[in-house]
Amino acid sequence: MDSSNVVLRLDKICKSFGGLQVLVDLDMNVERDEMLGLIGPNGAGKSTVFNVITSIYRPDRGDIFFLGEKITGLAPHKVCHRGISRTYQLVKTFLKMTVLENVMLASVYGGKHPDKGTMERALETLELVELTPRKDILATHLTLSNRRLLEIAMALASMPVLTLLDEPMAGLTTVEIHKLLEVIKRARDERKFSIIWIEHRVDAILDFCDRVVVLDYGVKIADGKPDEVANDPKFIEAYLGEPAA
């Protein structure tokens, strides 16, 4: 891996809650324009990784580097200003605000981009995720599928270098998932940003991502191309319960 191409690096990250150790000496890199899948059984520590990266939690040990600078313990809003955005397992939008107002708010509190104003960035992002016809609707009146698209739009409106997607397909139908995948692929192709994607749909991660990291009880047990990971005995053991070779 070319270190000059790395946008995010986690170095020996440890995190515990009481006596429960959730992350154990986690090393993980994300390259520029890479789509990295982060998978593992329930309780593996995946969402904790996102919360550590975005400074919701501070690691007990280890450091986080973004674009070559240490961001460990930086305030969450400053992490966003640096160029990291995210979505959540449970959709977090402002239900009493319109779709456009939600995206404009994200645009205002994102990184500084003097070449385009807040409104222009918001409207471009709504077009990108195909929510322009719904821009004046209150978020509370959206379907779950469109709320997830709105949350992705909010993440993209901050013009991130890296976006963290936390189970964006949860609760969606097959048709809605297909549309979501199209939106994410188009956004990535047009905006050229990196993605870390948590998903329980392992088949989608293996089909869609450039590289996959597997966690099991907070320990990284696999890291490689999707076909390599799919054939890794440790991955098979974690998901199917078969003994590792």
Side-chain angles (χ1 to χ4, degrees), residues 78-141:
K78 292 184 178 179
V79 173
C80 181
H81 289 166
R82 293 289 182 97
I84 300 177
S85 65
R86 69 171 295 179
T87 67
Y88 294 84
Q89 281 184 4
L90 300 177
V91 181
K92 295 184 183 295
T93 58
F94 297 95
L95 298 180
K96 295 184 179 181
M97 296 171 61
T98 68
V99 168
L100 177 58
E101 288 168 344
N102 270 271
V103 179
M104 285 184 66
L105 184 63
S107 180
V108 167
Y109 283 97
K112 302 301 181 185
H113 296 275
D115 54 321
K116 292 182 179 180
T118 299
M119 177 65 78
E120 185 179 1
R121 291 201 305 273
L123 291 174
E124 283 185 359
T125 305
L126 285 175
E127 187 70 25
L128 188 63
V129 303
E130 300 179 6
L131 282 180
T132 301
R134 295 174 174 82
K135 66 182 179 65
D136 297 319
I137 296 176
L138 293 178
T140 192
H141 295 147

Side-chain angles (χ1 to χ4, degrees), residues 27-40:
D27 292 328
M28 190 174 80
N29 292 341
V30 184
E31 293 192 354
R32 193 170 297 278
D33 301 337
E34 180 179 38
M35 186 178 292
L36 176 71
L38 183 60
I39 60 175

Side-chain angles (χ1 to χ4, degrees), residues 10 13-18 20-23 26 43-64 71-77 79 84 86 88-89 92 164 166 198:
L10 274 58
I13 295 295
C14 295
K15 182 63 184 176
S16 298
F17 297 98
L20 179 63
Q21 194 159 13
V22 180
L23 298 177
L26 177 62
K46 303 181 297 295
S47 290
T48 301
V49 172
F50 277 15
N51 286 331
V52 167
I53 292 171
T54 56
S55 232
I56 304 299
Y57 303 148
R58 185 176 184 124
D60 301 327
R61 293 193 306 277
D63 282 305
I64 304 159
I71 62 168
T72 315
L74 200 65
H77 71 281
V79 173
I84 300 177
R86 69 171 295 179
Y88 294 84
Q89 281 184 4
K92 295 184 183 295
L164 315 178
D166 197 347
I198 292 175

Side-chain angles (χ1 to χ4, degrees), residues 196-213:
I196 308 178
W197 187 340
I198 292 175
E199 192 58 67
H200 278 297
R201 287 283 303 271
V202 176
D203 55 336
I205 292 294
L206 294 176
D207 287 343
F208 213 66
C209 291
D210 304 310
R211 185 164 56 92
V212 179
V213 167

Side-chain angles (χ1 to χ4, degrees), residues 8 12-13 29 70 76 156 168 195 200 212 240:
L8 181 77
K12 302 296 182 186
I13 295 295
N29 292 341
K70 188 166 77 170
L156 297 181
I195 295 173
H200 278 297
V212 179
L240 302 180

Side-chain angles (χ1 to χ4, degrees), residues 129-130 146 149 175-184:
V129 303
E130 300 179 6
N146 283 330
L149 288 175
V175 172
E176 291 168 342
I177 286 171
H178 181 70
K179 179 179 179 180
L180 180 79
L181 291 173
E182 286 185 341
V183 165
I184 292 171

